[in-house]
Amino acid sequence: MGECRPLGFLLGLPFALLSLVFAAVGAVVWILGTLLSCICPCCICFSGLANMAVGLMKLPLKIMRWSIHQIPC
């Protein structure tokens, strides 16, 4: 079966759903950070805030991959 780990997927599902909330917050922060960095490009912290928000949006995938790889077949 190779990389088939359904138990890891099921165990990681609640954590992935929780991280979807963080991803939604990250999307809002990313939009605000992008708008603020366009308005005032001299503030470098807004671009850092937008990069952090992109990391939050990628969090569900990272958590699912981590939980799947923790369970051996």
Side-chain angles (χ1 to χ4, degrees):
M1 279 202 163
E3 292 291 318
C4 178
R5 295 183 175 139
L7 186 60
F9 176 78
L10 291 176
L11 289 175
L13 197 57
F15 299 110
L17 292 176
L18 180 63
S19 65
L20 280 175
V21 173
F22 290 128
V25 170
V28 170
V29 170
W30 177 70
I31 290 171
L32 290 175
T34 303
L35 289 175
L36 289 175
S37 67
C38 288
I39 293 171
C40 181
C42 61
C43 294
I44 240 12
C45 62
F46 293 130
S47 64
L49 185 68
N51 289 336
M52 182 205 62
V54 169
L56 279 176
M57 289 188 290
K58 292 180 181 179
L59 193 62
L61 291 175
K62 289 180 185 179
I63 289 177
M64 287 303 292
R65 287 181 186 155
W66 177 81
S67 64
I68 287 172
H69 283 90
Q70 295 301 313
I71 305 293
C73 273

